[in-house]
């Protein structure tokens, strides 16, 4: 019976892991490893710890109140002068951020499908076909309106990604001393600020806070089940983080030590062929496709949860307004993805946008976690301290990226 209960506790946090192990993780972590070796692994370690801290708050909020983060923000904002500007800020952040993220998801999954199909070229018809096909797959799964089907599909995709990337990591035999040094000793090489922000943005994804709180409230019904939700978090988030670290370390071993650079997914696969042979293309293709399609499901799903909560609409997976929101995000993402923008550039932009949006959503989460309606499950002083540290670091990194973009740094 104990084994059955443990298996049933796996779910919502796996959706979170499926969301942040997207094409952004594959591309951003690969670029970080290729350009800076193991030097930025500390940013991934910080992001994993930060994600555990924030996702635990999000899950606790959803389980205790029975509502998602969006509903809680709406309930907490009583004064009209504060309510409407704050709601407009969150809505714009969710729509803009998730639309950018979705375009990167579709582009990344398409790049994986092209690798599996053996096509290195991108003619106009192929450039349009692959993103539309991935978008159609995501829309079909979401249209089913079944939380269980979506959850199981994402768990299967996470398992597939885990096998593909961890197997690749094991074969590259990375420098373990350099790996642990990069994890435990923070450094920021020249020109690496945006890369560090992108690594954090691809792991601590702002929309996951909405997704997790809403999905937890659907899977479990009382605060007594909080240990199950935490067990789910402490299994799934570290597993996702391990995959991210494996991707960066693999790229560092295969590219940085040999002074190679990455400009496309096919180039990533070709550069690994001396080690893996023809299997390199398929490992990279499977990993990118699974990463893309899993995140292409979670980004629009989280948008629907967030916007329905903030606007006071029921978060019913089969409701017309719920479907209209996620369908809009998918359509916007598909339109952008077929414009011919290079997938790596598109995915890179989405990660930086997420990194800049993180402080906004984190601030709202910390605010709601101190609400009196949570009773004994409100944040303790040390939970607020940890959350404030995450907020402060994300603000500093986000500020540095803006100053750098404006040429002031």
């Amino acid at each position: 019976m104990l084994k059955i209960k443990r298996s049933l506790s796996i779910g919502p946090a796996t959706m979170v892991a499926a969301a942040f192990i997207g094409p952004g993780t594959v591309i951003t972590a690969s670029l970080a490893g290729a350009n800076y070796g193991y030097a930025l692994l500390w940013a991934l370690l910080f992001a994993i710890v930060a994600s555990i801290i924030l996702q635990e708050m999000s899950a606790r909020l959803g389980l205790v109140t029975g509502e998602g983060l969006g509903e809680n923000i709406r309930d907490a904002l009583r004064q009209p002068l504060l309510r409407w500007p704050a709601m407009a800020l969150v809505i714009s952040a969710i729509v803009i951020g998730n639309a950018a993220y979705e375009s990167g998801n579709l582009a990344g999954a398409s790049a994986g499908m092209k690798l599996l199909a053996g096509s290195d070229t991108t003619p106009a018809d192929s450039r349009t076909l692959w993103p539309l096909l991935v978008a159609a797959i995501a829309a079909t799964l979401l249209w089913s309106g079944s939380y269980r089907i979506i959850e199981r599909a994402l768990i299967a995709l996470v398992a597939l990604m885990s096998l593909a990337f961890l197997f690749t990591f094991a074969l590259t035999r990375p420098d373990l001393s350099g790996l642990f040094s990069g994890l435990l000793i923070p450094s920021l090489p020249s020109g690496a600020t945006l890369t560090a922000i992108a690594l954090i943005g691809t792991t601590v994804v702002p929309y996951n806070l909405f997704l997790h709180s809403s999905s937890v409230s659907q899977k479990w019904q009382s605060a007594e089940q909080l240990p199950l939700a935490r067990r789910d978090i402490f299994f799934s988030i570290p597993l996702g983080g391990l995959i991210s670290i494996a991707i960066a370390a693999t790229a560092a071993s295969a590219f940085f030590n040999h002074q190679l650079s990455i400009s496309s997914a096919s180039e990533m696969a070709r550069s690994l062929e001396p080690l893996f042979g023809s299997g390199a293309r398929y490992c990279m293709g499977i990993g990118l496709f699974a990463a893309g399609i899993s995140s292409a499901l979670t980004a629009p799903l989280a948008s629907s949860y967030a916007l329905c909560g903030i606007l006071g609409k029921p978060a019913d997976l089969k409701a017309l307004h719920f479907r209209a929101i996620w369908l809009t995000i998918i359509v916007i993402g598909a339109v952008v993805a077929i414009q011919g923008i290079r997938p790596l550039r598109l995915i890179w932009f989405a990660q930086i946008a997420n990194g800049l949006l993180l402080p906004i959503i984190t601030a709202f989460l910390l605010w709601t976690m101190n609400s009196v309606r949570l009773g004994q499950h409100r944040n303790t002083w040390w939970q607020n301290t940890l959350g404030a540290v995450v907020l402060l670091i994300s603000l500093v990194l986000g500020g540095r990226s803006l100053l750098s973009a404006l040429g002031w740094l």
Side-chain angles (χ1 to χ4, degrees):
M1 180 65 69
L2 182 60
K3 291 183 178 179
I4 294 175
K5 287 184 178 180
R6 285 186 176 178
S7 65
L8 289 175
S9 70
I10 302 302
T14 308
M15 297 175 69
V16 172
F20 75 69
I21 314 172
T25 296
V26 180
I27 300 300
T28 306
S30 295
L31 288 172
N35 295 331
Y36 304 105
Y38 302 107
L40 295 180
L41 289 182
W42 63 268
L44 276 175
L45 182 60
F46 162 75
I48 295 163
V49 174
S51 184
I52 291 173
I53 292 170
L54 297 182
Q55 296 301 155
E56 190 279 334
M57 292 183 193
S58 177
R60 182 158 34 102
L61 180 70
L63 197 56
V64 174
T65 65
E67 296 179 333
L69 177 57
E71 290 93 335
N72 278 278
I73 291 175
R74 179 183 176 87
D75 292 341
L77 292 170
R78 297 295 183 183
Q79 294 183 349
L81 291 178
L82 292 176
R83 185 176 199 175
W84 295 111
M87 287 174 59
L89 179 63
V90 174
I91 290 172
S92 60
I94 290 296
V95 172
I96 295 172
N98 281 13
Y101 204 70
E102 185 68 0
S103 63
N105 295 333
L106 297 178
S110 300
M113 294 180 79
K114 282 186 280 188
L115 284 176
L116 292 173
S119 172
D120 291 330
T121 59
T122 55
D125 56 344
S126 174
R127 192 172 63 216
T128 302
L129 172 64
W130 294 118
L132 292 180
L133 181 58
V134 177
I137 294 172
T140 300
L141 286 171
L142 289 175
W143 194 267
S144 70
S146 171
Y147 174 81
R148 180 169 294 182
I149 291 175
I150 296 169
E151 180 186 78
R152 288 179 176 177
L154 290 170
I155 290 173
L157 289 167
V158 169
L160 187 61
M161 284 186 289
S162 301
L163 291 174
F165 291 125
L166 293 178
F167 177 72
T168 304
F169 168 73
L171 289 180
T172 56
R173 298 180 181 178
D175 175 12
L176 293 181
S177 63
L179 188 151
F180 284 108
S181 177
L183 279 172
L184 301 176
I185 304 175
S187 64
L188 199 60
S190 177
T193 301
L194 288 180
T195 304
I197 293 170
L199 285 173
I200 295 171
T202 194
T203 306
V204 194
V205 183
Y207 75 69
N208 272 343
L209 301 176
F210 294 93
L211 176 65
H212 202 178
S213 58
S214 295
S215 57
V216 161
S217 66
Q218 291 196 14
K219 187 174 182 68
W220 294 302
Q221 286 73 47
S222 72
E224 294 178 357
Q225 295 171 299
L226 188 56
L228 295 178
R230 285 174 172 158
R231 182 187 302 156
D232 182 27
I233 292 168
F234 291 126
F235 171 79
S236 301
I237 305 300
L239 174 61
L242 179 62
I243 295 171
S244 301
I245 291 171
I247 294 169
T250 298
S253 177
F255 297 92
F256 184 70
N257 291 335
H258 301 89
Q259 300 301 309
L260 297 174
S261 61
I262 301 174
S263 61
S264 68
S266 60
E267 191 171 285
M268 290 167 61
R270 283 199 302 270
S271 297
L272 292 173
E273 283 179 1
L275 185 63
F276 304 124
S278 60
R281 171 183 294 276
Y282 299 106
C283 283
M284 185 59 66
I286 291 172
L288 268 176
F289 171 72
I293 191 66
S294 64
S295 295
L297 280 169
T298 52
L301 183 62
S303 298
S304 292
Y305 277 135
L307 295 189
C308 284
I310 290 173
L311 297 175
K313 302 289 185 180
D316 182 355
L317 272 68
K318 295 185 178 181
L320 180 60
H321 60 269
F322 192 93
R323 286 173 166 169
I325 294 171
W326 62 249
L327 185 59
T328 299
I329 297 296
I330 290 178
V331 169
I332 294 173
V335 169
V336 175
I338 64 178
Q339 295 304 307
I341 303 173
R342 293 178 64 181
L344 265 64
R345 184 174 299 175
L346 200 58
I347 293 167
W348 180 258
F349 170 77
Q351 305 321 310
I352 294 174
N354 270 328
L356 294 176
L357 292 173
L358 177 61
I360 299 173
I361 307 302
T362 299
F364 276 111
L365 176 64
L366 286 173
W367 182 39
T368 57
M369 289 309 299
N370 287 277
S371 171
V372 293
R373 66 182 303 201
L374 289 174
Q376 63 177 336
H377 297 289
R378 281 187 298 176
N379 270 2
T380 61
W381 68 267
W382 63 267
Q383 287 171 324
N384 279 328
T385 300
L386 290 175
V389 170
V390 173
L391 176 60
L392 178 61
I393 294 176
S394 63
L395 276 171
V396 170
L397 290 175
R400 284 198 61 169
S401 72
L402 285 178
L403 292 175
S404 178
L406 294 171
W408 297 347
L409 188 65

